[in-house]
């Protein structure tokens, strides 16, 4: 593949990742605002929101280093779909569980995206981008592990609250 084609694919992927991270914020922020009974989840979401904001900055830095910018249209479109997904879960009686499932799936989607970007960066010789992409990947992997390790506890707390007749609102 020509260097120009690889560069185009890399830039396209970086723009997609930027939009993906904006989508993540539009999913997590409404969840955080609604959490009442799951302080450990709230604390982790708050931490990951800060990480995600850092990931967006890293992606902007990488794009800037290539004399490119993110796609505002993609950012808006994916942010909108993320907000709609978050709103859809808020109407469910088991919102915390649905959010936990969706967050775990989304983290794994992000992991796959960063692994692909790292492969393109290596293939295209964009070594300066690897540090930021690796940092983003590590944060996504850590969040996915946390969600995986805490799903049982969140589920048990949900059951406990429901059985006690308390609101299990997230």
């Amino acid at each position: 593949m020509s260097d120009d084609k690889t560069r185009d694919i890399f830039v396209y992927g970086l723009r997609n990742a930027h939009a993906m991270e904006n989508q993540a914020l539009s999913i997590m922020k409404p969840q955080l605002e609604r959490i009442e009974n799951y302080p450990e989840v709230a604390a982790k979401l708050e931490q990951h929101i800060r990480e995600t904001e850092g990931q967006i900055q890293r992606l902007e830095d990488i794009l800037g280093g290539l004399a490119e910018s993110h796609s505002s249209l993609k950012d808006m479109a994916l942010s909108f779909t993320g907000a709609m997904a978050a709103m859809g879960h808020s109407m469910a009686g088991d919102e915390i569980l649905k959010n936990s499932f969706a967050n775990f799936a989304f983290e794994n989607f992000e992991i796959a995206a960063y692994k692909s970007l790292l492969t393109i960066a290596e293939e295209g010789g964009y070594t300066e981008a690897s540090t930021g992409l690796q940092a983003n990947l590590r944060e996504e992997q850590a969040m996915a592990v946390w969600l995986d390790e805490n799903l049982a506890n969140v589920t048990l707390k949900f059951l406990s609250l429901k059985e006690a007749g308390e609101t299990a609102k997230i």
Side-chain angles (χ1 to χ4, degrees), residues 47-150:
Q47 174 194 339
H48 198 55
I49 286 169
R50 286 190 310 274
E51 289 172 346
T52 301
E53 290 166 345
Q55 292 167 8
I56 289 169
Q57 185 58 58
R58 285 185 208 114
L59 290 165
E60 289 175 0
D61 291 347
I62 294 167
L63 283 163
L66 296 167
E68 299 284 350
S69 63
H70 60 89
S71 169
S72 296
L73 183 60
K74 280 185 185 185
D75 289 353
M76 285 190 314
L78 287 182
S79 290
F80 177 76
T81 61
M84 292 301 100
M87 187 186 321
H89 290 178
S90 70
M91 297 176 206
D94 60 349
E95 178 181 3
I96 189 69
L97 298 181
K98 283 187 173 49
N99 286 344
S100 295
F101 307 157
N103 291 347
F104 183 71
F106 199 81
E107 291 304 321
N108 281 283
F109 179 85
E110 290 174 304
I111 289 166
Y114 284 117
K115 286 182 175 184
S116 179
L117 280 169
L118 281 160
T119 300
I120 298 167
E122 183 178 323
E123 183 67 22
Y126 301 107
T127 54
E128 66 283 351
S130 293
T131 302
L133 294 172
Q134 283 286 355
N136 287 9
L137 175 61
R138 280 190 304 274
E139 289 170 355
E140 301 302 359
Q141 288 171 325
M143 184 64 172
V145 167
W146 188 90
L147 289 163
D148 185 40
E149 291 175 348
N150 285 277

Side-chain angles (χ1 to χ4, degrees), residues 22-34:
N22 277 289
Q23 182 181 22
L25 288 177
S26 71
I27 292 169
M28 291 185 292
K29 286 181 177 181
Q31 289 178 15
L32 183 59
E33 291 170 5
R34 294 181 47 76

